[in-house]
Amino acid sequence: MTGSAQFTPAAAEPRYEVFHTDCPARAVIDHVTSRWGIWILISLRDKELRFYELRESIRGISEKMLAQSLRALVEDGLVWRHVEPTTPPQVTYGLTEFGQEVREPLDDLFDRITQRMDPR
C-alpha cells in the first residue's frame, strides 16, 4: 500500500506476568497487599517512625510479624531502614520514592472506604 504510514511502536517496557508464581513483581504485590504491608505503608505516609512507634501505631501486630513485614518491604525497595549505632540500636523506617508511589493509591482506597463507613 503506497502512501500509508507505518506504525512503529515505541520500545515497550517489559511487562511481568503477575499470574505466574515465579514472577518477581508478584512477590512485591503480595508484600504490599499482605495483612500488615498496607498498614505499614499507610503508617509511614507522613513521617519516619521507629520500630516501637510503628508497633504502637498498628494495633494487633506482633513484633515478629512487624519485623518480617518490614524486612520484606525493605528488600522490595519500598521502605528504607536506618540504624543508629547506639545501645540499644535505634532503628528508623521511612518510605522510599517507590514506596511513596505505591502508597498513594492505597491512601485513595483507604480514604474511599472510610468515607463510606457508618460512623456509629
Side-chain angles (χ1 to χ4, degrees), residues 10 17 27 31 36 38-39 46-48 58 68 71 77-78 82-83 87 92 94 96 99 103 117:
E17 295 296 327
H31 296 151
W36 302 113
I38 291 173
W39 297 115
D46 296 324
K47 59 186 171 198
E48 305 165 0
I58 304 171
Q68 287 177 354
R71 189 176 309 113
L78 296 160
H82 177 74
V83 180
T87 306
T92 306
T96 63
R103 179 206 44 83
M117 300 292 298

Side-chain angles (χ1 to χ4, degrees), residues 6-116:
Q6 260 191 332
F7 176 72
T8 307
E13 293 185 27
R15 304 255 331 154
Y16 290 101
E17 295 296 327
V18 294
F19 294 106
H20 292 139
T21 56
D22 60 346
C23 175
R26 186 174 181 159
V28 176
I29 292 168
D30 287 346
H31 296 151
V32 169
T33 60
S34 71
R35 179 175 182 185
W36 302 113
I38 291 173
W39 297 115
I40 291 169
L41 294 176
I42 290 173
S43 293
L44 292 172
R45 70 179 161 190
D46 296 324
K47 59 186 171 198
E48 305 165 0
L49 293 173
R50 302 223 349 242
F51 184 88
Y52 78 91
E53 293 171 319
L54 269 169
R55 189 185 66 229
E56 290 176 5
S57 71
I58 304 171
R59 310 247 167 144
I61 192 169
S62 68
E63 282 192 27
K64 179 182 176 181
M65 284 310 303
L66 178 58
Q68 287 177 354
S69 299
L70 282 167
R71 189 176 309 113
L73 294 170
V74 168
E75 288 175 8
D76 293 338
L78 296 160
V79 173
W80 55 259
R81 178 180 189 263
H82 177 74
V83 180
E84 285 290 327
T86 59
T87 306
Q90 295 180 1
V91 183
T92 306
Y93 296 90
L95 293 179
T96 63
E97 184 178 331
F98 180 38
Q100 289 286 359
E101 290 173 9
V102 169
R103 179 206 44 83
E104 288 175 9
L106 295 176
D107 277 349
D108 290 342
L109 175 65
F110 183 74
D111 291 342
R112 286 175 190 250
I113 291 170
T114 57
Q115 288 171 2
R116 296 263 184 176

